[in-house]
Every structure is written in C-alpha cells, then in structure tokens.
Amino acid sequence: MTTLFDPDHTPTREVPSAAPIILDGAGHGRSDDSGYESPLLEGLNRQQREAVLYRGPALLIIAGAGSGKTSVLTRRIASLLETREAWASQILAITFTNKAAAEMRERVKVILGQGADGMWISTFHSSCVRILRREAENAGLSPTFSIYDSADSKVTLKRIIKALDADTLGFTPGNASAKISKLKNELADADSYARNANMSDPQEVMFVEIFRQYTSRLRAANALDFDDLIGETVYLFRAFPKIAALYRRRFRHILVDEYQDTNHAQYSLVRELTRPVEPALAEEMEAQGVHVRNLRDATGGIPGASLTVVGDSDQSIYAFRGADTRNISEFERDFPGTKVILLEQNYRSTQNILSAANAVIGHNFDRKDKRLWSAGGDGEKIVGYTAYSGHDEAQFVSDEIEVLHQAGMAYRDMAVFYRTNAQTRALEEILVRSAVPYRVVGGTKFYERAEIKDALAYLIAVANPTDELALRRILNTPKRGIGPATETALASFAEANQISFRQAMRDSSSLGLGPKVTGAILKLATLLDEAAGKLDPENPAGTANVSELLTFLLDGSGLLTLLRNSRDPQDEARAENIEELVAQTKDFNKENPDSGLVDFLTQVSLVAAADDLDDASGTVSLMTLHTAKGLEYEAVFLTGVEEGLLPHQMSANEPGGPAEERRLFYVGITRARQRLYLSLAMTRAQFGDINVAMPSRYLQEIPVALIDWKQSPGMANSRGGTQPRALNARRDGFGGGFAKRGEPQALPPAPKPKTEWANRVPSQVRDNGDLTLAAGDRIRHVDFGEGRVNQVTGEGTKRIAHVQFDTAGAKKLLIKIAPIEKI
C-alpha cells in the first residue's frame, strides 16, 4: 500500500500545524521574521491576509458574495507550499464542480508551476472515485465499476417498478429515485430504513423492496450511482480503520469550498478524513514501513488534519438536494478551537446593490451576521418595474436590454433570472419578437443526448461486461430486430442460470429465438468480445486507445453509418454529435497518454451540469435562480418577484422554506455588478388561468430609497398613484399579502381587465414572410401603434426593423413574426 503515497516526512522548514502565524497590529502578515512579505499577500485586505496566513486545527472562512474567496483559498494553498509546511501530495482541496476545481488548479499552477503537481484538487465525487478504484477490493467492487448517472438509475428503477407492479401504489422512477437519493445522502441503506419504517403500510413495504432490488441490481452490475460514491467511501473508512489511517496520514491539509452546500454524507466524509490516527495504528504503520515518525505527536498518534472550510450560510439554496446549513452554522461546535474569519468586503457589486442584499438577508435568523460593503461607491439605483402581465414584464426587460446594449454593454454581460422554468415562455416570445439574441441556460447537455449515451454505452459494455443496463441499451441500437420480448427472455435466462446478461447473449443459441434474432445477438456479443480483446495487454497488435476502440465499435455496430445515411436532418445532427465524441476521445488520448478506457468513462461521468456554461456567447443568458449561483453579470434582471413565485408557493408551509427562498433572492441580487432590475406583474398566467399576483414580501424588506420604481402606464394604483404598486401589498392576509402570522393566503379571483392599463403587451405574432420594409416606411404595430422605420438590418428570416414609434419610442422588431402592417 505504501506505493500509493509519497513519503510524508515533514518538509525541511517545520512549522507546528496548530501554531498560528501572528499578524502585527496593522494587520500586515509577515511570512518570516526578516520583514520579507510574500508576494502571495499582495492586494489582499486585512481579513483575506489573515485567512491566508492563519495556522490551526480548524478555520472557518465566512465568505460573503463577491468577497474573493477563490483567491483566498488558492493563495492559502500556495502559502502552505511556499513556506514548506506541506508537500503538494499532503493537500486535498474539494470543490462542488469540475469547473471550479479546474479554475482552482489553474490558479495554483500559475503561482507555483510544477510545485503544485501531486495535489488533489477535485470534486467530492472525483476524490471518492479515486479512492474507491484504489481500494475496490476492500469495498467489494471491481476496479472497473461503472458509474450510473440519474438517467441510468431511473431506467433501472423503471424496470423494477414494472416488475413489482409498484406503479399501482403511485411509484414512479422519478419519485423513487429522489427518495433513494435522499436516504443515501443521509447514509441510510435499505436495511436501516426498513428498521424504522411502518411495515404495516403497503407503500412502505413496497418502497423497501424497490430500494433493496435497486441496490442488488447495482451490485450485480458492478456499478455505483453518484450518491454511492461518497457513501461507500465513508463506509470503507469506517469498516477498515487501517485504510482510513493511510488517507488521514496522507492528507494533512483539507480545504473545502462552498461548505454550506454539503449534505450529511459529505460532512461525514470530511469528518472521517480529519480524525486523528490512534497511537496503536500509527505504531503498526511505522512497523510496516509507512513513514509516519515525523507526523506523530507526544501521544504517539497522528493529529487530525488541519481543516479549512469556506462558505456562506446566506447562499445555501440547495436544501432540496440534501444540503444542510447546520454543517456551517454548527461548525464551531463540531470542530472545537475553530478560528472564524469574516470576508465582508465585496469586489463585485455597487453599494446600493449590497445594501439591498444586506437588508433582505438580515430578516433570516440562525446566521452569522455580516454586512457586505464595497469601496467602489453607491452606483446606480436599483430599477423596479411593476408590469400588468408577464408579457408586459418581458417587454420591459427586452427594452432595457436594448438600452444597455446601445450604451455599449455586450449581450453576454446581461442575464435574466426567474424562479421557475415556466416563466421563460413570455420572455422567449418577446425576446424573439424584439430580435434580442438569447439562450436558455440548462438545455440538453452534450452527454445527456440519446446518441451520445448510446455510443458511451458501447464503451461501458466493454469496460464492465457485467453492466446489464449498458448492454440492454445497445441490444437493439441501432435496430437489429431484437424486441422487448427477446430482451426479457435473455434476462430471464440469465437469472435462471445464474449467469450475467452478457454470458446469456453468448449462449443465446440455447433460447430457440430463431436464426435471425440469434444471429444478431451473437454478432453483437462477438463485437463486444473483440473490442475487449483490443484492451488486453497481451494483444500482439498492442493495446487500443479510447479513440481506436470507439471507432471500432461504431464501425462494427453501424451506429454512425446509419445516422449518416439517414435523410432525417436531426439524424445528421446526431451523427455530428457522435463525431464530436470521437474527436473528444482523440483529445483525451493526446492529453492523457497513460490513461485508458475506465479513466475516460470516469471523466465523462463526473462532468457537472453547470460546467457547460459559456459566458462568451454574445447572447443574453436566461436561467433559474438556482442555476445563477456562482455566476456574475454586469446587469441582472430578476423577474417575477411575486408571492407564489418568490417565495414559491411550495415553500410556504415547509420548515425553513421562506428563509431558503429569501436566500435564493439574496443570491440573485448579489450576481449583479453594476445594474440590477427587479420586476413583477400584477396578473400572471399559471396552469392556464389568469390570477392576480401580489408583490413579494421580500420587496418590502428593501429600503425605499434604494429603488427607482417604474410601472406600466395607467391609473391602476390603489393609492391614487402616490406609491409604486409593488409596495401596495395588503397586510391583512387578503390577496397574498401578509396574514396575521406572516403566512401568505390564497390569491383572490382575477379581476376583469381594466381599461386604465395602457401597456398590455400580448404574445401575438404574424407571419410576415413576404413583407418588405425600407427606411422611411410607416408601419402599425398591434402593441406600440404607428411608427417610422429608421433602418432594416440582417438578411432573410433574420431581417430586423429599427422603428421609432410615435408614442412607444424606439424598438427593434424581427420582421418575420412581428405583429405589424405597412401603412
């Protein structure tokens, strides 16, 4: 085992891990007694410097939005290496996304060059995969185990539910998957859940059976799902103290980013890695030749690793994924002797934006109080807008985007946020009509496309022959005349004879399925066996790389050829996607010459959802508030700030629900650098009905002086036009305002539309394919009235009319669909 780890004798310059570096009275950190100050401290404020230099058993950095936490974390790592307090191999830095891990790795590399090699900077899941592949035998796994994503898990559960007729009790792959995931994040398995379940309830009995069969099928397929990766690592450390001791000895400095988003399983993993090694175990390790002498303390044991966590409970918005804010709020209790440092200076937003954020989040309890501030000045006031309808709101957003763009702001520097995906319909309709380039962030990702999953399933079936899910996916892809009945017959044959699905394919001639079907199954089985042979180190032709193997499988299966020869334009795009996958495998081979198929599949499995974000696209980004976390834009439009949407109606009766929704609003506000727009509508279409929508309670928490309120033209003010409608929320419990106990009430029926509303923008479009416009033409628009065309830009279906309307001002219209006519 010792070959897995670098010799961990203490570096030449010894600094006791628990001894803090003292800051002088002015807060200027010194890296030694000579007066020399490390370049790592340049440009840091006093709190940031303290966070970089402090040494002790536990450090909690409460990092407000935009406070430079990534810079502090990377410089802290670099400082440990620069002062020779740790080898690179003794540092484990954990983030939540591959993108964040790559950014941190790159920053450290810029500072230290090759001195950073050997560090583990990765996500929770990536770190656990590395550990489990190394310790697979003790974990009861093969090192080539597959990793099931959420789609794979749901396919497996769908088959289990169908076999058990569990759908009659209301079970679906979605709800079963969510419940199993929640339990696994709490480190519960089927047996532990069954011990506390109400087994007189048929639903509970059925769920326990689903959970057990799901666990059994994953094990039979030598597979783990994403939740298993962390849970199995925790179980491994608890079951095998000697293995845990090796990793505790190796990682002497553990740093965790976004700690407020950790769930119970992730918290438990951190706890296991930071426990001390008992003297007896340390003695045994020493006797076995593992270098621990310089790590042992006066008791003979190895002290727990130094733990640094960075987070902000005010930005904890993932309770639905199992995130537990108690992990950060109770950190000082869990880790005695913790030093707490607050980073409150914000380098992103103007003071007006930060003052609004502070005012809102200050209404939450059970948080460490902090006040974000900026040295950059107050900036522009926040702009508030009260619209009549969702389309009216969308028109305001579109118009303001154009105003900003004309003033020189790039489209890519603007974003529109919303609470639910259903809100995009009106926004998209208006943005298309107004010829504003946009993209909805969170569309179908590359690895979620069906054709990519098909190609990857071929690779998975070669890497892990016992993965039944992958085999069943490719059994009739492309179509080979193998139907569901044949697939079921193969599965039954495998179960009856206690053999794998793959072996059943090889023995399919015993099933009496007919020569054509049998031939198709045997041909596929032979193709997979030949591909596996190409990975054999004893192969006279040499071991194939990932690109060669994928090409061989695509050619042999005909998957790519079929798509290329199809007349369906979508199949042409699918073929291009697979060709892109082939190109990616070639890049993988170049960048990782010593890595193989399992490494490639592991890399693919660990790509996080947000990793595909591209802020250089030149388009306005539309996204949910949850997606927005971690991003920032020059201008942010936060739409639908209404009761029932923000806070969302589903959160109203949940414990901690309104507080989490307030954190979500806070996250949205703090994404804005220079300009922030808050908008709401007075009527909102939901589930096919038009309802009165009341202003969100959160708007009343922002000081009035910070917002410049605007509203669609008209006389519909309940206070005679003396105050913005957004502040007219009833406080007697009627109409979604505040009830006596602060809970929102049901919305009243929608009123009949009032004629006083002068800016009711509908979603009307018109096919103007034959309409020709030129500068000087007069047109009439159903919403904006009459106006004169100033210029026409673009070609074909993308022609855009720039129009000066007599009353509505300047607008941009996509001619092909705009509701206009020439007059």
Side-chain angles (χ1 to χ4, degrees), residues 160 163 227 234 372 434 474 484 546 589 621 626 630 653 740 780 786:
I160 293 170
D227 299 314
V234 173
L372 297 180
S434 303
I474 65 176
V546 182
N589 294 332
S621 295
H626 282 100
N653 298 318
K740 292 180 181 178
R780 182 181 294 112
E786 295 184 7

Side-chain angles (χ1 to χ4, degrees), residues 681-719:
M682 297 308 290
T683 61
R684 179 76 63 177
Q686 287 184 311
F687 311 112
D689 295 324
I690 302 295
N691 292 317
V692 171
M694 296 302 291
S696 169
R697 66 191 76 176
Y698 303 146
L699 289 174
Q700 311 224 9
E701 298 171 356
I702 302 175
V704 175
L706 297 176
I707 306 181
D708 179 15
W709 280 104
K710 301 178 180 179
Q711 51 199 41
S712 51
M715 297 295 293
N717 279 306
S718 62
R719 301 181 187 178

Side-chain angles (χ1 to χ4, degrees), residues 310-382:
V310 183
D312 180 7
S313 58
D314 292 339
Q315 296 185 69
S316 180
I317 58 173
Y318 294 124
F320 67 96
R321 294 183 189 170
D324 190 343
T325 56
R326 291 176 301 176
N327 291 348
I328 195 165
S329 63
E330 299 177 5
F331 186 84
E332 294 167 82
R333 188 199 69 185
D334 293 338
F335 297 91
T338 293
K339 170 74 173 178
V340 180
I341 297 175
L342 269 62
L343 303 184
E344 298 176 291
Q345 184 173 355
N346 178 284
Y347 295 91
R348 176 191 299 156
S349 307
T350 64
Q351 189 59 54
N352 279 338
I353 292 171
L354 296 178
S355 296
N358 288 334
V360 168
I361 204 63
H363 285 75
N364 272 1
F365 301 99
D366 193 22
R367 58 181 288 270
K368 276 200 175 295
D369 188 43
K370 63 179 184 304
R371 306 289 293 178
L372 297 180
W373 62 277
S374 169
D378 289 344
E380 299 283 343
K381 272 192 173 186
I382 298 166

Side-chain angles (χ1 to χ4, degrees), residues 550-762:
L550 179 58
T551 302
F552 173 80
L553 288 166
L554 292 173
D555 291 343
S557 66
L559 180 63
L560 187 54
T561 303
L562 190 72
L563 292 172
R564 283 174 176 160
N565 294 338
S566 171
R567 295 182 179 180
D568 186 341
Q570 292 185 339
D571 281 344
E572 183 179 344
R574 294 183 181 110
E576 290 173 358
N577 289 336
I578 292 180
E579 287 164 353
E580 178 62 26
L581 181 66
V582 174
Q584 186 190 352
T585 60
K586 291 178 179 177
D587 290 339
F588 177 82
N589 294 332
K590 290 177 185 176
E591 296 167 5
N592 307 276
D594 299 322
S595 298
L597 176 58
V598 172
D599 299 303
F600 174 73
L601 292 173
T602 298
Q603 178 176 299
V604 168
S605 296
L606 295 172
V607 172
D611 287 354
D612 295 330
L613 290 172
D614 176 14
D615 293 333
S617 63
T619 58
V620 177
S621 295
L622 274 59
M623 69 190 76
T624 64
L625 281 164
H626 282 100
T627 304
K629 188 172 182 297
L631 305 177
E632 56 184 72
Y633 296 89
E634 290 297 320
V636 162
F637 295 83
L638 214 166
T639 62
V641 191
E642 304 151 20
E643 289 291 318
L645 279 178
L646 190 66
H648 195 273
Q649 58 192 6
M650 291 179 63
S651 76
N653 298 318
E654 293 180 3
E660 173 132 340
E661 293 287 302
R662 186 179 279 108
R663 292 195 292 270
L664 199 55
F665 187 41
Y666 172 84
V667 165
I669 290 172
T670 54
R671 300 310 95 194
R673 293 194 194 112
Q674 299 296 325
R675 302 299 302 272
L676 175 63
Y677 298 79
L678 304 175
S679 63
L680 65 150
M682 297 308 290
T683 61
R684 179 76 63 177
Q686 287 184 311
F687 311 112
D689 295 324
I690 302 295
N691 292 317
V692 171
M694 296 302 291
S696 169
R697 66 191 76 176
Y698 303 146
L699 289 174
Q700 311 224 9
E701 298 171 356
I702 302 175
V704 175
L706 297 176
I707 306 181
D708 179 15
W709 280 104
K710 301 178 180 179
Q711 51 199 41
S712 51
M715 297 295 293
N717 279 306
S718 62
R719 301 181 187 178
T722 60
Q723 285 196 16
R725 283 190 293 270
L727 301 182
N728 288 345
R730 296 281 299 274
R731 292 180 178 272
D732 56 4
F734 177 75
F738 292 93
K740 292 180 181 178
R741 296 183 180 272
E743 294 297 338
Q745 302 296 306
L747 298 178
K752 294 180 180 179
K754 296 184 177 181
T755 56
E756 292 93 333
W757 291 90
N759 194 22
R760 295 180 52 197
V761 179

Side-chain angles (χ1 to χ4, degrees), residues 758-819:
N759 194 22
R760 295 180 52 197
V761 179
S763 59
Q764 185 177 342
V765 295
R766 185 176 295 162
D767 186 358
N768 296 322
D770 299 328
L771 180 63
T772 302
L773 291 179
D777 286 346
R778 293 281 296 176
I779 63 167
R780 182 181 294 112
H781 189 285
V782 297
D783 300 333
F784 308 132
E786 295 184 7
R788 181 179 300 280
V789 177
N790 290 333
Q791 63 171 324
V792 177
T793 59
E795 298 291 336
T797 59
K798 296 182 180 180
R799 286 179 304 135
I800 298 169
H802 301 255
V803 184
Q804 181 66 41
F805 286 98
D806 298 344
T807 56
K811 304 283 183 184
K812 246 180 23 173
L813 306 172
L814 188 64
I815 294 174
K816 179 174 172 56
I817 63 167

Side-chain angles (χ1 to χ4, degrees), residues 479-493:
K479 294 190 183 301
R480 301 183 175 91
I482 304 172
T486 302
E487 182 179 335
T488 302
L490 279 169
S492 299
F493 180 74

Side-chain angles (χ1 to χ4, degrees), residues 96-110:
F96 269 79
T97 67
N98 292 314
K99 181 179 179 181
E103 180 185 354
M104 189 181 298
R105 200 178 299 116
E106 188 60 34
R107 287 200 191 190
V108 174
K109 197 169 183 180
V110 167

Side-chain angles (χ1 to χ4, degrees), residues 220-251:
N222 187 35
L224 299 176
D225 62 24
F226 264 73
D227 299 314
D228 285 329
L229 295 176
I230 298 172
E232 289 294 328
T233 306
V234 173
Y235 298 149
L236 176 76
F237 287 160
R238 291 177 177 175
F240 298 93
K242 292 180 183 178
I243 293 176
L246 285 168
Y247 288 92
R248 291 168 186 161
R249 162 202 170 270
R250 171 173 182 153
F251 298 123

